[in-house]
Amino acid sequence: MVARALSFGAVAETYERFRPGYPVELLELVTAYAGEPIRTALEFGAGTGKATRVFAQGGIAVTATEPDAAMLAEMRKHMPSNVTTLQATFEELPLDTSYDLVYSAAALHWTKPEGRWARMAELVRPGGVFASFASPIQLADPALKEAARAARAPYLEDDGVPSPDGTPADSPMQWPGTELQQSEWFTDVQQKIIDRRLTISANDYIGHLSTLSAYVMLQPTTRDQVFRQILRVLPETVELNTQVDVHLTRRQN
């Protein structure tokens, strides 16, 4: 998992180009849940700053942290003045400051489970908010999705990241909500979905796949081969399900 977590720097510019950003509805959802102004925020695993920019545009003073030097360098090209950047893993973050909001965009699963929530509780001020969100992009057409899976299967059995606690996909509450519901430090766990669809070219979809850790970890020749096979079964443009899965919780006072 550590190797996969730190694999993205090799594709930092591609990541910035092909990963979709987050909608302003995400900022609105988190702000409404907080129920009071959010002045300071900490983001860990910020990548190239796709989510950072959404929260920064809300006037929040964001400290965006990222362990990979290449991803951090790419992020710094795009940051407004109210964002402070820092190279660090979640486990390396100093605990001398707490924030109104701590959030993670598709990065929480890369953190170590041991002591995760105790450390999170140190970073979120009492009454403050923790938010985790991700956009597990999939082909919207079930037939195309199956065709792409079959094309990929000889080279890569699964291109996703499994649930860290083994929660089944049909469970009413998904991870990390499942863990947060058991935490002594957090309360009022909510799970929300922001529906989105996006139409892009098949080549751009392959560009997106090239930023997923499962493909980054493949040997280059294998990676090129699987992309050719997937591209062969796709039409010129594809519709994607780009819904944002959001988990929200509040730090106990």
Side-chain angles (χ1 to χ4, degrees):
M1 279 294 268
V2 174
R4 286 183 71 169
L6 297 176
S7 66
F8 298 103
V11 292
E13 291 186 2
T14 305
Y15 191 106
E16 173 60 27
R17 178 181 175 186
F18 290 110
R19 286 276 182 122
Y22 288 90
V24 70
E25 287 85 357
L26 177 61
L27 172 63
E28 295 168 351
L29 180 65
V30 174
T31 301
Y33 175 85
E36 58 185 14
I38 299 172
R39 296 181 176 85
T40 62
L42 171 70
E43 178 182 11
F44 58 90
T48 65
K50 294 285 186 176
T52 319
R53 281 162 266 180
V54 174
F55 286 89
Q57 78 181 34
I60 301 169
V62 180
T63 298
T65 68
E66 165 58 42
D68 188 286
M71 294 289 275
L72 186 66
E74 183 64 31
M75 173 170 60
R76 284 172 171 161
K77 298 177 185 178
H78 310 284
M79 287 302 101
S81 60
N82 58 328
V83 174
T84 300
T85 59
L86 173 70
Q87 185 175 0
T89 65
F90 173 73
E91 292 76 18
E92 294 169 340
L93 293 173
L95 301 178
D96 55 355
T97 303
S98 59
Y99 301 83
D100 297 336
L101 168 68
V102 176
Y103 68 92
S104 165
L108 183 66
H109 55 280
W110 301 126
T111 63
K112 296 177 181 177
E114 299 82 10
R116 176 191 286 136
W117 301 117
R119 169 168 280 271
M120 199 76 73
E122 293 283 343
L123 294 167
V124 183
R125 67 160 178 80
V129 173
F130 169 67
S132 175
F133 38 88
S135 186
I137 294 169
Q138 301 284 346
L139 291 162
D141 183 327
L144 273 185
K145 183 178 178 181
E146 172 56 26
R149 186 209 63 77
R152 181 200 73 226
Y155 312 90
L156 187 64
E157 183 176 349
D158 190 353
D159 62 1
V161 177
S163 172
D165 68 350
T167 300
D170 59 355
S171 174
M173 177 62 72
Q174 289 294 301
W175 186 90
T178 46
E179 286 188 9
L180 286 164
Q181 287 179 325
Q182 305 301 317
S183 170
E184 63 185 285
W185 295 285
F186 293 95
T187 187
D188 189 22
V189 179
Q190 296 187 19
Q191 180 174 274
K192 305 286 187 181
I193 293 175
I194 301 173
D195 287 317
R196 286 194 307 171
R197 290 291 181 102
L198 181 67
T199 300
I200 63 174
S201 71
N203 283 321
D204 281 359
Y205 176 64
I206 296 298
H208 166 73
L209 291 183
S210 74
T211 71
L212 301 183
S213 60
Y215 296 96
V216 175
M217 298 295 289
L218 293 175
Q219 291 295 323
T221 53
T222 302
R223 186 166 56 242
D224 291 344
Q225 197 165 3
V226 69
F227 287 158
R228 283 195 297 271
Q229 295 302 318
I230 294 173
L231 196 57
R232 185 177 297 173
V233 303
L234 298 179
E236 288 188 10
T237 61
V238 294
E239 186 180 16
L240 303 181
N241 178 2
T242 58
Q243 75 177 36
V244 184
D245 300 328
V246 185
H247 288 91
L248 300 161
T249 190
R250 202 176 312 277
R251 172 77 160 86
Q252 297 268 22
N253 284 309

